Amino acid sequence: MPISLEIFNNVWSTYNKCFQIMVSPSYHKNLGDPKGFGSGFILNHRGTNYFITADHVTSPHNHPDFVQWGNDCICGVASGHNDTKTHSHLCVPLKSRFEFVKAPKPTDKNDLVFPEEVDFTFCEAPKKLYTCVTLGFTLPHSILSFPCNQRKDGFVQSDLINMDEVKNSSYFVIGTILGVDNITNDGCVKHKAHLNLRFSRYDDEIIALTTSYIINRERDWAGLSGSPVVSDDGKLLGMLLRASDGFNEIRVMPISSIISKIDLIQRMEQNGLNLDEPFIVVGPKVSLDDVKNNPAMQEIVAKLNRNK
C-alpha cells in the first residue's frame, strides 16, 4: 500500500528513535548469552532523559510469578558499534530501573489479593545511549528502507500526542528486532513495520488498537514490546505492551500514564526520599494499614528483603 512522503519521513524519524534491548541472567555479566529481547525509547521529560520500555522485557521473571520480584536480569541496549579486538557487539547497560506493582483493596482483610505488575519500567537514560547508531532497516517489497549508522535520537515534549486526537488518528510501529535463531542458536535480526493501526477502545489505563489482519505474535511482533507507538503525523501515542496472538488487537500504554509515573518518582526525589530501596506508594482510598495487612504484600516484602 503506497504511503505519503510525510508518513515515510515520520516512520524514518521514529525508526531512528527505536532502541534494541538484550536481556541475560545475572550470571552473564557481558550479555554473552542473551535470553530475551525487546525494544525501548528515550523520552525527555522536564529536562531529564529517561529510557522507557515494558517491564516484561527487562524483568521476565515478574511474569506471572510475583514471588521472584527483585531478581534483576542484566539488561543492555545494542549500540550499533563493534569491539574491533573481540569482534563482539557493544552494549550500553541499563541500571537503576524503576518497576511498579498495584494492589487492589481487598473486600476482607484476610483476602489474599495479589498485586498486579505494571508492565512499564524506566531509568535515567545513560549518556552513552546518544552515541548509539541504527542497525539499518530493509523490508522486502517495501519502500521502507533506512540506512545504518544514523545517530539515535529521543522524543521531546512537542512530539507527544494531544489526547483529544487519539481516536481520530492512524498509527504505526517499526523496529529492528534482535533475537536467536531457534534452529542454529545464532543471533539473528528481523525488520518489522506495522502501519494503519486504528483506535479501538480504552481499557482501563490501556489503549487498544486494531490491525487489518490476524496477528501472528511470534512471527511479526515478538521483540517489539516497549516500542514507541506513533501516529501518522509523527506524534507519540505511547508504548507497545502486547500483541494478541490470533486476534487483530495490540495494547498500548498511553504516554499520559507513562508521564504520571515518572512524575511520581520525580516528586519523591524532590522530597529527598531514598529510592535505592523498594518502596510502597499508597494510592487513593487505600490506607497504609491496608498495605501492611495484605498477606500478598507481606510475602513480597519478605522476598525482597531476602534478596538484598
Side-chain angles (χ1 to χ4, degrees):
M1 179 179 178
I3 62 175
S4 69
L5 179 59
E6 179 188 13
I7 295 176
F8 177 90
N9 287 335
N10 288 331
V11 172
W12 186 1
S13 175
T14 298
Y15 176 71
N16 291 344
K17 298 172 183 174
C18 296
F19 293 79
Q20 294 77 42
I21 302 171
M22 295 184 287
V23 180
S24 286
S26 57
Y27 51 81
H28 282 295
K29 300 298 183 183
N30 64 351
L31 285 163
D33 185 21
K35 299 299 184 183
F37 302 89
S39 303
F41 60 95
I42 292 175
L43 173 68
N44 183 283
H45 179 58
R46 295 183 176 175
T48 301
N49 292 321
Y50 296 102
F51 188 82
I52 291 167
T53 186
D55 187 64
H56 75 263
V57 170
T58 60
S59 300
H61 52 258
N62 285 3
H63 302 260
D65 187 359
F66 81 92
V67 297
Q68 294 191 42
W69 281 341
N71 297 340
D72 282 348
C73 292
I74 303 297
C75 302
V77 175
S79 70
H81 303 290
N82 291 322
D83 187 319
T84 55
K85 293 183 179 179
T86 62
H87 302 287
S88 59
H89 192 93
L90 297 174
C91 292
V92 179
L94 295 176
K95 299 179 180 180
S96 302
R97 304 184 307 273
F98 289 101
E99 297 178 347
F100 301 81
V101 296
K102 59 181 179 181
K105 185 175 181 178
T107 55
D108 183 275
K109 67 178 182 179
N110 295 318
D111 286 348
L112 189 62
V113 181
F114 289 96
E116 300 175 10
E117 165 270 342
V118 178
D119 202 358
F120 163 67
T121 184
F122 76 95
C123 64
E124 191 164 333
K127 292 182 179 179
K128 285 188 176 180
L129 284 181
Y130 280 95
T131 68
C132 294
V133 295
T134 59
L135 303 179
F137 184 95
T138 301
L139 201 62
H141 313 297
S142 170
I143 66 170
L144 299 180
S145 180
F146 309 128
C148 61
N149 294 322
Q150 300 295 299
R151 186 64 60 89
K152 297 266 189 160
D153 200 359
F155 292 93
V156 297
Q157 185 68 36
S158 60
D159 293 322
L160 308 188
I161 196 168
N162 183 329
M163 297 309 293
D164 294 334
E165 301 173 357
V166 168
K167 296 181 180 180
N168 301 319
S169 300
S170 179
Y171 303 93
F172 62 84
V173 175
I174 185 171
T176 293
I177 307 169
L178 303 180
V180 174
D181 188 281
N182 293 330
I183 298 176
T184 65
N185 209 35
D186 294 330
C188 62
V189 175
K190 296 188 294 184
H191 308 288
K192 295 294 178 180
H194 301 285
L195 309 180
N196 301 312
L197 305 172
R198 299 286 181 174
F199 176 86
S200 174
R201 69 185 189 282
Y202 285 103
D203 184 5
D204 193 16
E205 277 193 281
I206 304 304
I207 294 175
L209 301 180
T210 57
T211 66
S212 58
Y213 53 87
I214 299 300
I215 288 172
N216 183 322
R217 190 192 66 81
E218 186 64 30
R219 184 189 66 197
D220 297 323
W221 292 86
L224 287 176
S225 295
S227 294
V229 181
V230 177
S231 66
D232 286 352
D233 60 354
K235 297 300 182 181
L236 178 63
L237 173 68
M239 176 186 67
L240 175 66
L241 295 177
R242 293 186 182 276
S244 300
D245 204 10
F247 295 88
N248 66 331
E249 184 174 278
I250 68 169
R251 297 171 66 79
V252 179
M253 178 174 286
I255 192 63
S256 57
S257 296
I258 290 172
I259 287 177
S260 69
K261 294 172 179 60
I262 294 176
D263 282 342
L264 170 65
I265 298 301
Q266 284 191 340
R267 289 196 298 270
M268 296 176 70
E269 288 176 328
Q270 291 166 0
N271 289 329
L273 299 178
N274 180 14
L275 304 183
D276 293 330
E277 296 290 335
F279 54 87
I280 296 172
V281 177
V282 179
K285 300 181 181 180
V286 179
S287 69
L288 189 56
D289 285 338
D290 291 330
V291 177
K292 289 181 177 179
N293 296 329
N294 184 304
M297 289 302 299
Q298 292 171 0
E299 180 69 10
I300 288 176
V301 171
K303 291 285 184 181
L304 289 172
N305 286 335
R306 287 197 288 271
N307 287 331
K308 286 184 178 180

